[in-house]
Amino acid sequence: PAAIVAEVSQLAGRSSASQMRMVVHCLYEHFGKRRLGLEALAAPRLGALELGSIAHGVLCELGRAGFDPARVAEILGRQWEESVPPALRESPAAAFEYEILLGNLVALAEQERALLDGTGGGARAACFELAFGLNGAGRDPASRADGLSIDLPAGGALGHSVLRGSIDRVDLVERDGVRYGVAIDYKLGKGKSY
């Protein structure tokens, strides 16, 4: 209560009409929202981060299995069971997200299989979740334990930097006797490409 009285005193000289309305409506609400940063409780839901993690896991396993579209439902079902809490799996919103993700992943698997079979120009998917300087399960066997050390231009504050990260997929292509790696980054969202 003393903190709320102090809050009202401070508001008197510098507050907007909407803030004053909130104070008049409910002093505690104003104090909770403005000072403590409290927000209304919301039901748990799947966000883009969780859906993206599930999609990446499916694409990694699916890619290693040759992008067989017939395996998408099985792999997604297993990833879904492991990643989504049971109470959330039963919600209509989660079921809707599952169906959208399933459709998108099947379409992508079909597209990738056709590309790698025919018009890929000799490309082959070689690595999935290729990491450098990161540890963890599911990383490609060709991953590096150490990060990539990069020399920086002379005269700067730092002589070098170390990059750590993971590449979703690396395809190999050979042209005129030279082998190239093509880094592919999957993105969950709207758009025709990744």
Side-chain angles (χ1 to χ4, degrees):
I4 294 175
V5 171
E7 178 77 12
V8 172
S9 299
Q10 287 181 355
L11 282 173
R14 60 176 173 80
S15 57
S16 67
S18 64
Q19 285 182 337
M20 288 308 290
R21 266 194 305 277
M22 186 185 293
V23 168
V24 170
H25 169 71
C26 181
L27 211 52
Y28 290 104
E29 179 184 5
H30 182 271
F31 183 72
K33 283 185 177 179
R34 298 291 180 182
R35 282 292 198 194
L36 301 178
L38 301 177
E39 295 180 18
L41 238 110
R45 60 184 272 281
L46 284 173
L49 184 62
E50 294 86 7
L51 290 169
S53 293
I54 292 168
H56 274 78
V58 171
L59 289 169
C60 179
E61 188 175 339
L62 187 64
R64 290 176 180 160
F67 288 105
D68 180 2
R71 300 229 18 231
V72 173
E74 166 215 335
I75 296 170
L76 175 59
R78 189 171 358 89
Q79 292 270 346
W80 195 264
E81 292 287 320
E82 292 171 5
S83 303
V84 180
L88 194 52
R89 278 196 303 261
E90 297 167 7
S91 77
F96 179 72
E97 292 291 355
Y98 179 88
E99 291 301 322
I100 288 175
L101 190 55
L102 177 62
N104 288 341
L105 289 170
V106 167
L108 182 59
E110 290 169 349
Q111 176 185 334
E112 291 305 292
R113 186 68 264 145
L115 179 70
L116 293 170
D117 280 346
T119 61
R124 72 177 174 84
C127 300
F128 296 89
E129 296 299 326
L130 181 65
F132 43 97
L134 296 177
N135 297 320
R139 301 290 183 200
D140 197 272
S143 294
R144 296 173 46 125
D146 299 330
L148 302 175
S149 184
I150 306 293
D151 291 330
L152 299 175
L158 298 173
H160 77 278
S161 183
V162 177
L163 299 176
R164 290 177 177 82
S166 178
I167 303 170
D168 294 337
R169 181 173 123 202
V170 177
D171 287 2
L172 294 180
V173 180
E174 192 166 322
R175 295 282 186 267
D176 301 322
V178 179
R179 192 169 70 165
Y180 297 94
V182 180
I184 297 174
D185 185 37
Y186 296 119
K187 295 293 180 195
L188 182 65
K190 296 179 181 173
K192 299 274 183 196
S193 62
Y194 52 85

